[in-house]
Amino acid sequence: MKSKLIKTHFAPELHIPNGTFDIDFYIKLGATENFTFKNDDGSIHVVELEIDGAIFHLHETMRGALEPITAKGVTTVIGLFVENVQEVFNRAILAGATEINPVTDYDYGYRQAMFKDPFGHYWQIQKKI
């Protein structure tokens, strides 16, 4: 019997405030929803999302973890490599993100931009150039 090859990858878990119902920002960003588990009141317990093969989860805050709004600061920066940094950055801003850094080509060989999503998570959109 042949076992299925599993490629190692990261799947970050972004914590969102308990009682969250609306995650439309991520769909407008271009994510597709793989599955969702909801609480009895219909709020999100956990949802698995994917952007061009990059899987991540939104999870209600638990296990002593903090989400950026309650923590009053950045809890992590999500680095997302994409083909067209400007296009993804523009889509994020139109969907409701806040610009942190505009698209810039750096001497170290990366095109990068950073935005804050509506839940306070920082995203660094980037491409090696």
Side-chain angles (χ1 to χ4, degrees), residues 4 6 10-11 15 22 24-25 30 34 38-39 42-43 51-52 57 62 84 86 88 98 112 117-119 121 123-124:
K4 185 177 181 182
I6 297 175
F10 283 101
H15 287 243
D22 181 6
D24 284 347
F25 168 80
N34 292 337
K38 294 190 176 184
N39 298 311
S43 65
I51 298 175
D52 294 330
H57 298 92
M62 56 183 270
N84 189 324
Q86 189 69 60
V88 174
T98 302
Q112 296 174 314
D117 75 23
F119 294 102
H121 300 287
W123 291 71
Q124 182 159 271

Side-chain angles (χ1 to χ4, degrees), residues 32-83:
T32 55
E33 188 177 312
N34 292 337
F35 66 79
T36 303
F37 292 105
K38 294 190 176 184
N39 298 311
D40 291 341
D41 66 357
S43 65
I44 294 170
H45 176 70
V46 65
V47 58
E48 182 178 276
L49 299 167
E50 185 173 336
I51 298 175
D52 294 330
I55 294 173
F56 65 103
H57 298 92
L58 302 178
H59 200 296
E60 67 182 347
T61 304
M62 56 183 270
R63 299 187 299 263
L66 296 173
E67 42 78 26
I69 294 169
T70 303
K72 294 182 170 89
V74 178
T75 55
T76 192
V77 175
I78 305 303
L80 182 66
F81 283 85
V82 299
E83 183 60 34

